[in-house]
Amino acid sequence: MTTEIRQRDVVIVGAGMAGLVAGVRATELGADVCVLEKGTRPGGSMYLSAGLIWSYETIDDARENVPRGDPELQRTIVEGLDPAFDWLESLGVTVREPPVELPTGETVVAPTPGANCGKIEPEAFTDRLRTRIEDGGGEVLVETPMRSLRTDGNTVVGVDATTADGEDLEIEADAVVLATGGFQGNERLLQEYVTPAIENLWLRANPWSTGDGLTAARDVGAKTTGGMETFYGHNLAAPPANVTPDRYLELTQYYGPFAVAIDERGERFTDESESDLEHTLAQDTAHEADGRAYYVFDSDLYDDEVFSMGHIGTIVERSADRGAEVIRADSLEAFEEKLYAAGVDGTNAVETLDEYNEAVRTGCGDRLDPPRTDYQRPVDTPPFYAVAVQPGITFTMGGLHVDEGGRVLDERRSPSTLFVDEGHDESVESEPITGLYAAGVDIGNVNNRHYMGGLANALVMGRRAVESAVDDRVE
Ligand SMILES: Cc1cc2nc3c(=O)[nH]c(=O)nc-3n(C[C@H](O)[C@H](O)[C@H](O)COP(=O)(O)OP(=O)(O)OC[C@H]3O[C@@H](n4cnc5c(N)ncnc54)[C@H](O)[C@@H]3O)c2cc1C
């Protein structure tokens, strides 16, 4: 085994959305940059995504919709999005052409009303940004995972990686930007932070984001955020449906906020309509229903459209074609029996529906327990449907604690009321770890239970983090 040693100004770990953006920006700023990618291709989860780069138009909208997230990071992203769109256009990337066609064949304008949205074509985008990095004198090394960070005292001075040939690679650098995309691909970390019921979770993301950035940064004293149990995802058709990465979009149900979600006891377990984009329902399916639920609805909803994601009946039939369990019954009596046959308490389920219908018919859904605050429509027109769903985790929302410039904060030099001693004084100012930055999903607490876009964070903070790294180097 040989060890190759290289020197670079900046190392970027991960060639997904944030890492590619950071790589291009680094070359523009004249930095000698190396982008390490663990997977067999660049692009990360962005490559599998619908490519809608969106966030809220104003910081007030963002605060209202994502109240638990960090206000300053949210402001940075909301205000940085239009300049970042302009920047992408300057690279020859077209971003503003809504309405757009999704890989599922549906046409959408924006994922949620009031969003500032652009659209990229993931494969072409990945190729273009990779080429820009290489044309700018940088390199993108695939199948070259970072193993750990190199430090000198409290300063990060590079990374240790493994090359595609299995050799050790040491890269000495002034700055390292972590853009490894979260920890949703790591069963142990998921069990530790998110849910014990990992056997009832689909991964709805690239397979390589296994928390390497988080783990390496924690090993050098990085501070993490709250919301480690929260994630962005959707409910997908449950097994025996066969969910492979090329089917993430087509097997995503999307219409959960309009349906009635019940667990195996036949009971509702959350306000399905809390978020339009289904992510709170997906999280509560993991946390409150052990990852197994049924979406119940009637023919009215079957014939309806979900905002931006198309006809519900089409989603259901597409799922059935891929092996999803879809129950259909022409009467409530038959529905009850079929639910029992599927392992659900059918009597309870029908009682739940009766109670729900009574409440929503009089506009009193918010008095239910759990409440139903939005999309209050009765489920009473046969045939009745129940689709078995299981949460798909796209990315973890908790992660590294950074400042608005993407500098990773030092746990030992951050205020804390837990340990008031020399290292943990509640009055000290937060200090970053010299040389360490993060972008995209590796940053925690932009989203926290609620969601304001994933690609937008990666785009804005990918640029920001590398600009900070270059600025800090000069100072
Ligand atoms: C089906 C689907 C649909 C989506 N649709 C949308 C959408 O329309 N709009 C939206 O905003 N978001 C969407 N997303 C989410 C979006 O893709 C992510 O928020 C975004 O890609 C995050 O960017 P990132 O750079 O942080 O992570 P990623 O793009 O996932 O990149 C992380 C990269 O780091 C690499 N990596 C991990 N560990 C290491 C290591 N040790 N060394 C080197 N490299 C490493 C990974 O291989 C990966 O390439 C979707 C995701 C999916 C899966």
Side-chain angles (χ1 to χ4, degrees):
M1 173 97 58
T2 55
T3 301
E4 190 187 334
I5 302 177
R6 300 188 191 182
Q7 269 102 24
R8 295 288 179 271
D9 297 331
V10 181
V11 177
I12 292 158
V13 187
M17 181 70 178
L20 288 170
V21 163
V24 173
R25 189 70 187 128
T27 60
E28 283 183 343
L29 296 171
D32 186 11
V33 64
C34 174
V35 185
L36 300 180
E37 170 51 48
K38 179 181 184 179
T40 49
R41 54 152 181 85
S45 291
M46 176 266 288
Y47 199 89
L48 308 171
S49 78
L52 295 169
I53 310 178
W54 72 276
S55 197
Y56 288 100
E57 284 275 6
T58 66
I59 180 62
D60 289 346
D61 286 348
R63 294 301 300 147
E64 193 182 324
N65 285 284
V66 193
R68 295 191 202 167
D70 181 313
E72 292 315 315
L73 286 176
Q74 292 176 337
R75 179 184 297 283
T76 303
I77 291 164
V78 167
E79 293 177 356
L81 194 52
D82 276 329
F85 283 157
D86 292 342
W87 178 73
L88 285 182
E89 298 268 358
S90 79
L91 301 178
V93 177
T94 308
V95 280
R96 292 177 212 258
E97 286 190 328
V100 290
E101 195 175 323
L102 293 179
T104 55
E106 318 291 355
T107 300
V108 307
V109 178
T112 194
N116 179 12
C117 185
K119 165 86 168 84
I120 51 163
E121 203 290 293
E123 194 178 333
F125 182 86
T126 302
D127 288 346
R128 177 164 287 266
L129 267 64
R130 181 186 188 161
T131 305
R132 287 295 292 226
I133 294 168
E134 290 170 349
D135 289 352
E139 57 189 348
V140 180
L141 305 176
V142 293
E143 295 183 87
T144 308
M146 170 198 73
R147 294 195 310 272
S148 55
L149 291 164
R150 301 179 66 77
T151 50
D152 180 3
N154 285 339
T155 301
V156 169
V157 294
V159 300
D160 284 323
T162 306
T163 68
D165 301 327
E167 304 290 343
D168 284 344
L169 172 63
E170 270 179 38
I171 310 182
E172 295 165 6
D174 295 335
V176 175
V177 179
L178 297 172
T180 68
F183 61 89
Q184 60 280 354
N186 184 319
E187 284 199 351
R188 242 184 56 207
L189 291 176
L190 286 179
Q191 251 173 344
E192 213 171 299
Y193 291 117
V194 179
T195 171
I198 52 158
E199 65 280 7
N200 294 337
L201 269 187
W202 292 117
L203 180 67
R204 185 181 180 269
N206 84 75
W208 306 293
S209 290
T210 54
D212 297 352
L214 177 76
T215 305
R218 289 192 94 155
D219 285 348
V220 301
K223 186 172 166 67
T224 49
T225 63
M228 295 296 281
E229 74 289 4
T230 63
F231 65 88
Y232 170 67
H234 282 272
N235 277 337
L236 275 63
N242 185 13
V243 176
T244 45
D246 54 322
R247 294 179 183 162
Y248 285 157
L249 291 168
E250 65 179 83
L251 296 180
T252 298
Q253 297 301 295
Y254 295 116
Y255 57 87
F258 302 84
V260 175
I262 57 168
D263 58 19
E264 286 176 340
R265 293 169 306 163
E267 290 172 9
R268 291 177 62 242
F269 51 89
T270 187
D271 179 358
E272 302 86 345
S273 64
E274 184 183 338
S275 63
D276 279 357
L277 295 179
E278 209 182 29
H279 47 276
T280 54
L281 178 52
Q283 290 172 74
D284 291 341
T285 304
H287 292 136
E288 308 297 332
D290 289 336
R292 290 309 302 262
Y294 284 80
Y295 281 174
V296 174
F297 49 95
D298 63 0
S299 67
D300 274 354
L301 197 65
Y302 183 93
D303 290 334
D304 213 338
E305 305 244 335
V306 197
F307 176 76
S308 89
M309 289 304 166
H311 181 236
I312 293 171
T314 308
I315 299 173
V316 173
E317 296 316 323
R318 206 160 53 205
S319 303
D321 286 348
R322 300 294 180 195
E325 182 189 356
V326 178
I327 293 169
R328 182 182 180 280
D330 290 327
S331 69
L332 279 178
E333 294 69 36
F335 195 50
E336 185 174 334
E337 259 178 47
K338 288 187 174 180
L339 284 171
Y340 269 119
V344 178
D345 186 326
T347 309
N348 258 349
V350 171
E351 275 173 21
T352 298
L353 274 189
D354 284 345
E355 192 194 358
Y356 171 87
N357 283 338
E358 206 178 305
V360 300
R361 271 192 204 109
T362 51
C364 296
D366 52 348
R367 291 198 205 146
L368 287 165
D369 181 20
R372 171 64 173 232
T373 49
D374 227 335
Y375 309 122
Q376 298 188 27
R377 49 198 276 177
V379 177
D380 57 4
T381 311
F384 299 98
Y385 295 86
V387 177
V389 297
Q390 171 172 298
I393 182 165
T394 298
F395 65 77
T396 41
M397 291 178 173
L400 299 172
H401 199 142
V402 302
D403 69 10
E404 295 98 87
R407 298 175 186 86
V408 177
L409 300 182
D410 188 336
E411 189 181 34
R412 297 153 298 195
R413 292 182 293 156
S414 293
S416 169
T417 51
L418 281 180
F419 312 103
V420 183
D421 60 22
E422 259 178 76
H424 287 90
D425 182 346
E426 80 274 25
S427 63
V428 299
E429 291 286 313
S430 293
E431 295 278 346
I433 297 176
T434 307
L436 189 60
Y437 305 81
V441 176
D442 281 351
I443 296 179
N445 209 29
V446 171
N447 301 290
N448 185 336
R449 179 162 173 83
H450 299 98
Y451 175 58
M452 50 180 273
L455 295 171
N457 165 5
L459 171 61
V460 174
M461 293 308 292
R463 289 179 79 208
R464 266 295 186 120
V466 100
E467 284 166 2
S468 302
V470 171
D471 274 359
D472 294 347
R473 222 174 124 233
V474 171
E475 276 164 18

